[in-house]
Amino acid sequence: MVQRRAFLAASAALPLAATVLGGTPAGAVELGDRGPGRPVLPQRPDRELRAILREVDERRVEAIVRKLASFGTRHTLSSQDDPKRGIGAARDWIFAELQRYAAASDGRMIVELQSYIQPPGDRVPVPTRITNVLATLRGTSEPGRVYVVSGHYDSRCSDPMDATSDAPGADDDASGVAVSMELARVFATRETAATIVFAAVAGEEQGLHGARHLATQFRAANTDVQAMFTNDIVGSSTADDGTRDPRTIRLFAEGVPTAETPAEANLRRSIGGENDSPPRQLARFVRSVAENDATGMNVRVVYRRDRYLRGGDHIPFLEQRYPAARFTEPAENFAHQHQNVRVENGVQFGDLPEFCDFGFIARVARVNGAALWSLATAPGTPAGVGIRTAALTNASELLWQRSAGAVGYEVLWRETTAPDWTHRIDVGDVTTAKIDLSKDNVFFGVRAVGPSGHRSPVAYPTPVTT
């Protein structure tokens, strides 16, 4: 518990100091031993978001999953030109469907095939064309700020090199593709400040190849990707023991960054922050905007990059230093993924549509939709967030750069043992704030506030010596 008494006064008229230390100025917030600020509360869905989430259609989700499963196999090495079977047929159908959705966007949504040749390597014996299908909804005021939602449309059976046997891939990962596609349909008629990319990527089962190409292309173009979500195995609420948890989705978010440099590791060890990576802030944001009655879901944040010793399409984005996280169903049934379709001792194996819970997938889509809409209609995450360290002091001075579309900012803080932010301090439309709390004792963050009250994810500060 913070023991110091702290007082806050914030105003756009105080560009260099958002607090007054000592005394109790007019308009100050006094919370005594609890510390400065007000409680951090979830961001409730507004009327427009509720309307969006109501449009997510369970029947359309089911139709997408069943259609993708009908191509027999979508193995990355399967046929690219058979019109009825193989990954090429699935690619062409996804492309045509997304084009149909884009027709309702008044030109804001563009659909493209992003293809390249993957050279031979592990699980890719010959040069192979890999194609991502992308539907990009261009932002109206900040098109350079980008958010990505993805599922992978390739599939596999027991042998990862078997490109001919049936591999319907209903849960892994037609379910994730259905999330991305259904959201593309719903969002196509809306306008957002920032750009959203709805992706169906290939090559995941052979080594995350499609997602790696997509992330690399974004980085090469210096694209400001502020969040990426992969939906992989989000099709069932039933575990292998038959228990059901239809109202929970897991969200995996790494702590120590995948792309952390040795210098960054040394800094992290000296100031803390293992639980304050951009993916962790993103996960906190998702819980705050998507765990409510409009989605009907609980978001179980898991403090891991992915499941134990496993990986997914968010990892290539983490490698490129983009904030990324993975949605996965609450408990997997391994008889229904990466298995040849067969019956053994009366047990049906194989990743078949009959084992999917389509209402569950629709609710997962609503969680993603709530997160994407809240991100793309709020200001971007503040950049250049720091804490001044030029002099030793028990107060903490934070500074940051302005975010486009922001009308104000909040400084957040929490005890170092708290998993989520607990206090928020409205500092107004300023770019620096002095808080009467020691940076030795608490963690700080900064978020931007838009004119409609929509808030950005939190940015964690680094030391500034000047």
Side-chain angles (χ1 to χ4, degrees):
M1 178 67 69
V2 176
Q3 295 301 316
R4 304 183 66 199
R5 294 178 62 84
F7 306 98
L8 168 71
S11 168
L14 298 174
L16 296 180
T19 65
V20 178
L21 304 184
T24 309
V29 176
E30 180 181 352
L31 296 184
D33 289 344
R34 290 175 291 170
R38 295 181 172 87
V40 175
L41 301 174
Q43 181 172 295
R44 302 297 301 170
D46 58 22
R47 181 179 300 177
E48 189 165 14
L49 177 55
R50 287 183 181 275
I52 288 170
L53 300 185
R54 284 195 298 268
E55 287 188 28
V56 174
D57 190 335
E58 176 183 336
R59 295 167 300 176
R60 291 178 181 272
V61 166
E62 178 176 359
I64 292 170
V65 172
R66 291 190 182 279
K67 182 64 177 181
L68 290 173
S70 75
F71 293 113
T73 179
R74 305 188 305 276
H75 194 282
T76 299
L77 305 177
S78 63
S79 174
Q80 302 235 4
D81 52 18
D82 187 317
K84 295 183 178 180
R85 182 180 177 86
I87 195 165
R91 172 202 63 214
D92 294 345
W93 180 80
I94 294 169
F95 180 70
E97 281 293 290
L98 290 176
Q99 281 190 311
R100 188 164 64 85
Y101 304 161
S105 72
D106 291 330
R108 293 187 305 277
M109 180 178 283
I110 303 298
V111 182
E112 63 180 312
L113 298 175
Q114 182 190 68
S115 296
Y116 77 103
I117 301 299
Q118 177 67 35
D122 185 34
R123 295 193 178 186
V124 182
V126 297
T128 300
R129 179 174 297 278
I130 291 179
T131 302
N132 300 324
V133 190
L134 310 177
T136 301
L137 182 66
R138 184 175 174 82
T140 56
S141 59
E142 295 179 67
R145 176 160 58 99
V146 176
Y147 301 97
V148 181
V149 60
S150 175
H152 71 85
Y153 71 97
D154 61 306
S155 65
R156 57 160 284 193
C157 53
S158 300
D159 180 355
M161 302 304 292
D162 181 353
T164 59
S165 297
D166 282 351
D171 192 1
D172 186 13
D173 184 36
S175 64
V177 175
V179 167
S180 183
M181 291 181 65
E182 177 63 358
L183 291 178
R185 183 190 69 83
V186 173
F187 275 66
T189 59
R190 263 81 182 192
E191 294 185 3
T192 55
T195 293
I196 305 177
V197 178
F198 304 89
V201 301
E204 193 271 349
E205 302 289 6
Q206 306 311 110
L208 314 180
H209 294 305
R212 182 162 287 111
H213 180 72
L214 179 59
T216 301
Q217 291 298 107
F218 278 135
R219 179 55 68 196
N222 199 30
T223 305
D224 183 21
V225 177
Q226 294 203 0
M228 182 272 184
F229 301 109
T230 185
N231 287 266
D232 195 352
I233 312 178
V234 294
S236 176
S237 58
T238 304
D240 52 3
D241 62 359
T243 58
R244 297 185 68 245
D245 189 358
R247 298 287 173 174
T248 298
I249 184 68
R250 289 184 291 174
L251 180 58
F252 289 86
E254 75 172 12
V256 176
T258 290
E260 185 179 62
T261 67
E264 289 168 338
N266 285 335
L267 178 62
R268 174 178 51 77
R269 284 189 286 267
S270 68
I271 66 173
E274 294 83 359
N275 197 21
D276 282 281
S277 64
R280 292 280 166 88
Q281 307 298 358
L282 187 59
R284 293 177 179 124
F285 179 89
V286 172
R287 285 195 65 189
S288 73
V289 301
E291 196 173 73
N292 51 55
D293 64 316
T295 66
M297 292 291 278
N298 301 310
V299 179
R300 181 181 181 182
V301 176
V302 182
Y303 286 167
R304 282 197 171 103
R305 184 174 72 171
D306 207 314
R307 299 144 305 152
Y308 207 80
L309 296 178
R310 300 170 75 187
D313 282 330
H314 59 308
I315 293 177
F317 281 79
L318 295 170
E319 293 170 347
Q320 296 298 330
R321 306 177 74 87
Y322 288 131
R326 174 187 179 131
F327 287 107
T328 297
E329 62 199 27
E332 299 170 69
N333 186 333
F334 302 108
H336 300 151
Q337 58 179 266
H338 297 181
Q339 292 284 340
N340 281 13
V341 178
R342 67 193 190 279
V343 177
E344 288 185 2
N345 300 319
V347 177
Q348 177 71 63
F349 288 82
D351 192 354
L352 299 164
E354 65 197 69
F355 298 116
C356 286
D357 178 343
F358 301 109
F360 177 78
I361 302 173
R363 288 192 294 277
V364 173
R366 292 186 186 105
V367 169
N368 279 258
L372 290 166
W373 180 259
S374 300
L375 287 164
T377 56
T381 306
V385 179
I387 293 182
R388 293 196 189 277
T389 57
L392 293 176
T393 172
N394 282 320
S396 301
E397 185 178 0
L398 292 95
L399 66 159
W400 56 89
Q401 299 171 9
R402 292 192 179 277
S403 298
V407 298
Y409 300 87
E410 293 175 339
V411 172
L412 279 70
W413 67 269
R414 70 181 196 274
E415 295 284 349
T416 62
T417 53
D420 207 343
W421 301 106
T422 56
H423 293 69
R424 62 180 178 88
I425 304 169
D426 181 359
V427 297
D429 188 13
V430 297
T431 57
T432 184
K434 185 176 288 185
I435 310 299
D436 191 17
L437 290 173
S438 172
K439 54 189 169 294
D440 294 334
N441 298 335
V442 302
F443 287 137
F444 287 107
V446 176
R447 67 184 181 186
V449 183
S452 299
H454 293 170
R455 292 163 168 82
S456 75
V458 175
Y460 186 70
T462 56
V464 176
T465 58
T466 57

